[in-house]
């Protein structure tokens, strides 16, 4: 029962706190929570922006690779074949006279050259690889290929961090875009699938874009913005606390001082009122109350003084009456009270009349 009446410890502590703390604490906590949310949103937004930039980069790499391969297929291999130049497009072209790389082999060569520069990695994989080494290399790649078989138009990507190094792995469907590609895969003895048609999914281009440096720059940018938010928050909190001090705390403090003076009997003490808000209205109400109380006390003192004079007059008359042989007391104007005990003879009558 005592606990229910007094409330929880935190509620009792807050109830016993000063007005300054009660006003400032919820405000400060709210602003801090809002600032923390803004800092987190800014940090997450910076990382998301870096990730989107990496995705755009990966898409550009894939687009350029596909265009390069298409130009090579049509303008190089196609032209040499149409011109009757004796060339053979094979995987292991370096050991064959007149050998040139297959379009897919060209893609791998481009990938190896880019990887050596350390900019990004490019790979071509397939659920039905002629070369077993060109199958999925990770569990995620296998799952992504399965998803792309169900929805070839949807690219797959993920961001992973290994030993403190972050990277984007982006996969885009590689469609059969030339008759030579279709016939090559369908006729190859090592091909697990031999019913490809133009426009079918034949595999996927995998691009790995390093994100460590991009994330580091994003974190630095987020830190700068967060520092600005913190400084702004401190300034805003300071300004709001100052405004509360001027508009609420100081006027309430003056009310407290005035109420103490009123309690000590200084009813003429005035309260400085410099606002027309609720606190100013309360101060005016305090002054009106003190003024009315002063009037009441003044009237009461006057009535007490008058009554005292009346009592003193009555007491004086009573003393005079007691000194008389026959005490007489005036009970009203022109009316005397004469107590008589015994018989009223002529002698007592003369004494009374005198």
């Amino acid at each position: 029962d005592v606990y229910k009446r007094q409330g929880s410890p935190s509620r009792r502590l807050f109830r016993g706190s000063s007005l300054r703390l009660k006003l400032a604490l919820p405000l400060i906590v709210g602003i801090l929570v809002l600032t923390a949310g803004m800092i987190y949103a800014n940090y997450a937004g910076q990382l998301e922006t870096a990730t989107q930039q990496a995705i755009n980069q990966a898409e550009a790499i894939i687009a350029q690779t596909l265009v390069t391969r298409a130009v090579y297929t049509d303008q190089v291999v196609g032209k040499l074949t149409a011109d009757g130049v004796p060339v053979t497009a094979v995987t292991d072209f370096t050991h064959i006279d007149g050998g040139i790389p297959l379009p897919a082999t060209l893609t791998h060569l481009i990938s190896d050259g880019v990887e050596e520069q350390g900019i990004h990695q490019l790979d071509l994989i397939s659920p039905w690889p002629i070369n077993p080494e060109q199958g999925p290399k990770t569990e995620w790649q296998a799952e992504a290929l399965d998803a792309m078989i169900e929805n070839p138009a949807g690219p797959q990507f993920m961001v992973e961090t290994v030993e403190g190094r972050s990277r984007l792995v982006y996969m885009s469907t590689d469609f059969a875009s030339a008759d030579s590609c279709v016939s090559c895969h369908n006729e190859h003895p090592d091909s697990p699938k031999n019913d490809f048609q133009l426009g079918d999914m034949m595999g996927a281009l995998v691009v790995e874009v390093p994100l460590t440096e991009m994330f580091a720059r994003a974190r630095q940018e987020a830190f700068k913005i967060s520092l600005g938010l913190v400084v702004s928050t401190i300034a805003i909190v300071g300004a709001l606390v100052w405004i509360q001090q001027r508009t609420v705390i100081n006027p309430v403090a003056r009310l407290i001082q005035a109420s103490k003076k009123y309690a000590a009997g200084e009813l003429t003490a005035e309260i400085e009122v410099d606002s027309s808000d609720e606190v100013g209205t309360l101060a005016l109400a305090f002054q009106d109350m003190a003024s009315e109380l002063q009037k009441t006390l003044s009237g009461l003192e006057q009535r007490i003084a008058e009554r005292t004079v009346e009592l003193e007059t009555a007491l004086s008359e009573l003393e005079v009456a007691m000194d008389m042989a026959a005490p007489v007391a005036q009970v009203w104007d022109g009316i005397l009270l004469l107590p008589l005990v015994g018989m009223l003879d002529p002698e007592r009558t003369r004494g009374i009349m005198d």
Side-chain angles (χ1 to χ4, degrees):
D1 293 338
V2 175
Y3 180 84
K4 291 181 178 179
R5 289 195 301 270
Q6 296 182 353
S8 63
S10 59
R11 182 175 298 179
R12 293 198 302 270
L13 178 62
F14 188 76
R15 189 165 53 222
S17 303
S18 64
L19 178 62
R20 180 184 291 105
L21 180 61
K22 290 179 179 179
L23 290 176
L25 184 59
L27 178 65
I28 293 174
V29 171
I31 292 179
L32 289 178
V33 171
L34 179 61
T35 303
M38 294 174 63
I39 290 174
Y40 175 79
N42 171 59
Y43 175 72
Q46 292 290 337
L47 294 184
E48 184 177 354
T49 299
T51 302
Q52 186 59 49
Q53 291 176 351
I55 291 175
N56 295 340
Q57 182 180 349
E59 291 176 343
I61 293 169
I62 290 174
Q64 185 175 3
T65 301
L66 293 176
V67 170
T68 301
R69 190 178 66 182
V71 170
Y72 175 77
T73 301
D74 296 336
Q75 304 299 324
V76 178
V77 178
K79 186 177 186 305
L80 291 175
T81 303
D83 293 345
V85 178
V87 295
T88 305
V90 293
T91 302
D92 191 11
F93 66 96
T94 57
H95 303 290
I96 300 176
D97 293 337
I100 60 174
L102 290 167
T105 305
L106 176 66
T107 302
H108 293 302
L109 293 174
I110 295 174
S111 172
D112 295 339
V114 172
E115 186 174 350
E116 289 178 358
Q117 298 180 16
I119 301 175
H120 57 261
Q121 295 182 8
L122 176 64
D123 197 6
L124 179 61
I125 64 175
S126 173
W128 316 280
I130 295 176
N131 182 357
E133 294 182 358
Q134 297 309 125
K137 298 175 177 61
T138 64
E139 182 179 353
W140 180 83
Q141 288 186 1
E143 294 175 354
L145 283 175
D146 291 339
M148 296 172 74
I149 292 174
E150 295 293 330
N151 180 22
Q156 302 290 319
F157 67 90
M158 74 166 181
V159 175
E160 64 176 1
T161 301
V162 179
E163 296 180 355
R165 307 292 296 180
S166 299
R167 64 175 182 171
L168 168 73
V169 182
Y170 188 91
M171 291 179 59
S172 180
T173 305
D174 184 23
F175 295 99
S177 57
D179 291 331
S180 58
C181 295
V182 174
S183 59
C184 177
H185 278 264
N186 288 339
E187 296 172 4
H188 199 287
D190 295 329
S191 177
K193 182 178 172 64
N194 52 19
D195 58 349
F196 287 108
Q197 297 179 6
L198 282 175
D200 285 351
M201 172 182 172
M202 300 188 71
L205 285 166
V206 183
V207 179
E208 296 183 5
V209 180
L211 284 174
T212 303
E213 294 182 0
M214 297 178 67
F215 278 177
R217 290 194 297 269
R219 292 188 183 96
Q220 291 178 356
E221 188 67 23
F223 175 77
K224 293 178 183 178
I225 297 176
S226 299
L227 183 61
L229 287 174
V230 170
V231 173
S232 301
T233 299
I234 293 175
I236 292 173
V237 170
L240 291 176
V241 170
W242 180 79
I243 293 173
Q244 284 187 349
Q245 183 72 29
R246 290 290 303 274
T247 59
V248 179
I249 303 301
N250 290 344
V252 170
R254 291 195 292 267
L255 283 176
I256 294 174
Q257 293 176 356
S259 64
K260 290 181 179 180
K261 291 181 180 180
Y262 293 159
E266 300 181 26
L267 298 178
T268 58
E270 294 185 357
I271 305 175
E272 180 183 353
V273 181
D274 54 4
S275 65
S276 57
D277 55 10
E278 290 80 358
V279 178
T281 303
L282 181 60
L284 293 176
F286 262 72
Q287 286 185 336
D288 293 341
M289 179 187 67
S291 177
E292 292 297 326
L293 183 59
Q294 186 177 10
K295 292 178 181 179
T296 301
L297 290 178
S298 297
L300 182 60
E301 290 175 354
Q302 183 177 358
R303 288 195 296 272
I304 291 175
E306 294 175 352
R307 185 59 178 166
T308 300
V309 171
E310 293 177 358
L311 290 176
E312 290 177 350
T313 301
L315 180 60
S316 176
E317 294 176 352
L318 181 60
E319 290 177 351
V320 172
M322 292 295 295
D323 292 337
M324 297 173 57
V328 178
Q330 183 177 356
V331 295
W332 202 260
D333 187 21
I335 301 176
L336 299 177
L337 174 64
L338 176 64
L340 292 177
V341 178
M343 298 295 294
L344 182 63
D345 54 20
E347 184 177 355
R348 293 183 66 187
T349 301
R350 285 193 300 270
I352 293 171
M353 295 302 295
D354 293 340

